[in-house]
């Protein structure tokens, strides 16, 4: 056998061994991640499963994504059901004198808490029977997308009160670009992608968090998102006679040594200009350790206790108490 052909054969065998080794390593890594996250306590993987099991691409690019009607899943050990309209929770109740629509992102959705403990669930129990409450919240949306989504829902489900949940991520740029095949189908790829993004951002610690949110809320894009959302809400209010209540959810890391007042101030200014009712639940949440209001030690979404306080504030506003 000529020397050249012999070397080519060795190179091909070496490449095949390398490819085989990489494939086996990826398979092992995928299996390891899936086994390690079977307890449904990994936030990244549970959000990945949420997107995979309950979401679909919207035909409206301004919305980005929607829930799959009549879908269900157990996420973060919580049973979640989507009704025929694409909203979490039961079907809208017929015959109610008033209907309240909760609009926003994963906090409005009630990530990590059972249906009865969500903002919708607690308001339903606290308000008179003449009020029906529906939940139009979807995770990973900015407020402009969330309001646009309600604009689509309202053609089939009318409401005379809208509770718009403004969270720290309300001004975030959310891409509607679909993920790659690997990220969509591999937990290992999803974990790796998230880790690389966080590492590449260089944003670590409280100071970085504060400066990052300041930049986001002061940016032209952030202002555009808020302006678009509030203009749309004002249009709905004027054309349909809907009452708008703005709820400014505080940044969830530390209520007692709070450094994010600028978000509440900006939100309050927009609300006052539009003559909407405004609620800031931060003072009512201060005092106890902030962690007592978290879903878990690794997930700072509001829990039942937090939603109990927030729903009490909303109830007072709705009933003008």
């Amino acid at each position: 056998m000529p020397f050249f052909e012999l070397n080519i054969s060795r190179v091909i065998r070496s490449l095949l061994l390398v490819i085989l080794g990489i494939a086996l390593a990826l398979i092992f890594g995928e299996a390891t991640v899936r086994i390690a996250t079977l307890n449904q306590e990994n936030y990244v993987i549970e959000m990945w499963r949420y997107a995979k099991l309950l979401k679909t691409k919207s035909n409206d690019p301004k919305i980005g994504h929607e829930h799959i009607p009549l879908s269900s899943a157990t996420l973060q050990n919580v049973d979640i059901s989507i009704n025929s309209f694409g909203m979490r929770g039961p079907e809208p109740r017929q015959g109610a004198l008033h209907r309240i629509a909760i609009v926003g992102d994963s906090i409005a959705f009630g990530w990590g808490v059972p249906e009865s403990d969500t903002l919708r669930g607690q308001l339903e129990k606290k308000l008179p029977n003449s009020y029906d409450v529906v939940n139009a919240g979807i995770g990973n949306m900015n407020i402009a997308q969330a309001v646009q989504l309600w604009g689509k829902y309202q053609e089939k489900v009318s409401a005379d009160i809208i509770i718009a949940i403004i969270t720290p991520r309300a001004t975030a740029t959310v891409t509607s670009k679909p993920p790659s095949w690997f990220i969509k189908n591999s937990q290992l790829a999803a974990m790796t992608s998230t880790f690389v993004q966080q590492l590449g951002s260089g944003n670590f610690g409280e100071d970085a968090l504060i400066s990052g949110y300041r930049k986001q809320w002061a940016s032209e894009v952030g202002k555009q998102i808020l302006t678009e959302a509030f203009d749309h809400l004002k249009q709905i209010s004027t054309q349909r006679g809907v009452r708008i209540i703005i709820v400014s959810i505080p940044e969830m890391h530390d209520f007692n040594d709070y450094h994010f007042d600028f978000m509440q101030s900006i939100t309050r200014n927009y609300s006052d200009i539009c003559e909407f009712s405004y609620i800031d639940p931060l003072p009512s949440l201060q005092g106890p350790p902030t962690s007592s209001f978290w879903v878990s030690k690794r997930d700072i979404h509001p829990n039942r206790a937090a939603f109990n306080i927030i729903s009490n504030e909303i109830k007072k506003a709705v009933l003008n108490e």
Side-chain angles (χ1 to χ4, degrees):
M1 179 180 294
F3 177 76
F4 179 74
E5 291 183 8
L6 182 63
N7 281 346
I8 289 293
S9 298
R10 287 178 177 175
V11 169
I12 291 174
R13 284 199 299 270
S14 297
L15 285 175
L16 289 174
L17 287 172
V18 169
I19 292 171
L20 179 60
I22 292 173
L24 290 174
L26 291 175
I27 292 171
F28 178 77
E30 182 72 22
T32 300
V33 171
R34 287 180 180 266
I35 292 171
T37 58
L38 283 175
N39 59 7
Q40 296 193 2
E41 294 180 359
N42 184 287
Y43 175 77
V44 172
I45 295 303
E46 291 308 291
M47 277 292 185
W48 175 86
R49 294 180 62 241
Y50 171 37
K52 187 175 178 65
L53 298 174
L54 299 184
K55 290 183 182 179
T56 186
K57 183 179 179 181
S58 174
N59 56 16
D60 184 346
K62 288 187 176 181
I63 295 174
H65 56 269
E66 302 179 33
H67 285 142
I68 301 170
L70 299 176
S71 60
S72 63
T74 300
L75 303 170
Q76 207 157 297
N77 295 303
V78 171
D79 292 333
I80 296 173
S81 297
I82 307 300
N83 67 24
S84 63
F85 292 93
M87 298 183 283
R88 182 180 182 184
E91 297 291 323
R93 183 158 48 85
Q94 300 300 316
L97 184 62
H98 302 285
R99 178 169 291 118
I100 296 173
I102 300 172
V103 173
D105 59 15
S106 58
I107 290 181
F109 173 80
W111 177 260
V113 297
E115 171 58 33
S116 61
D117 294 337
T118 64
L119 198 53
R120 191 218 70 81
Q122 297 207 36
L123 279 173
E124 185 81 43
K125 289 180 287 187
K126 293 177 180 180
L127 290 169
N129 192 53
S130 56
Y131 287 85
D132 179 40
V133 186
V134 296
N135 182 357
I138 295 186
N140 196 33
M141 273 194 166
N142 63 41
I143 190 59
Q145 291 173 301
V147 175
Q148 183 74 14
L149 177 62
W150 174 252
K152 180 177 179 178
Y153 285 151
Q154 72 178 354
E155 300 305 320
K156 296 181 179 180
V157 186
S158 62
D160 52 342
I161 300 175
I162 292 176
I163 309 295
I165 306 297
I166 311 295
T167 70
R169 284 184 48 80
T171 57
T173 301
V174 180
T175 179
S176 57
K177 181 181 177 181
S180 68
W181 183 91
F182 284 106
I183 293 177
K184 186 176 180 180
N185 293 280
S186 168
Q187 291 188 9
L188 176 63
M191 289 279 285
T192 302
S193 175
T194 301
F195 175 75
V196 170
Q197 289 176 17
Q198 292 176 344
L199 193 64
S201 70
N203 295 326
F204 303 98
E206 183 182 23
D207 290 342
L209 187 66
I210 295 170
S211 63
Y213 274 130
R214 280 191 181 278
K215 183 178 179 180
Q216 175 183 303
W217 279 68
S219 70
E220 290 304 313
V221 173
K223 293 176 183 177
Q224 180 182 348
I225 289 169
L226 281 177
T227 300
E228 182 180 336
F230 276 84
D231 284 351
H232 197 169
L233 286 170
K234 186 66 176 180
Q235 181 185 43
I236 292 172
S237 175
T238 301
Q239 294 180 354
R240 294 177 174 262
V242 176
R243 182 184 175 194
I244 310 295
I245 300 175
I246 304 297
V247 181
S248 185
I249 302 295
E251 206 286 325
M252 293 286 299
H253 279 90
D254 191 344
F255 295 152
N256 298 308
D257 186 21
Y258 196 69
H259 299 284
F260 300 88
D261 302 89
F262 57 91
M263 289 189 276
Q264 274 71 31
S265 178
I266 292 171
T267 302
R268 179 64 183 263
N269 184 53
Y270 273 87
S271 183
D272 288 348
I273 290 173
C274 292
E275 299 181 307
F276 297 155
S277 299
Y278 175 82
I279 295 173
D280 178 7
L282 177 61
S284 298
L285 291 165
Q286 291 176 322
T290 305
S291 58
S292 66
F293 294 117
W294 296 348
V295 164
S296 71
K297 293 180 179 179
R298 287 176 281 185
D299 186 345
I300 64 171
H301 276 84
N303 62 11
R304 177 184 181 181
F307 282 135
N308 178 51
I309 291 172
I310 296 169
S311 62
N312 284 338
E313 298 286 325
I314 295 174
K315 175 192 171 185
K316 293 176 184 177
V318 169
L319 301 179
N320 295 312
E321 293 180 345

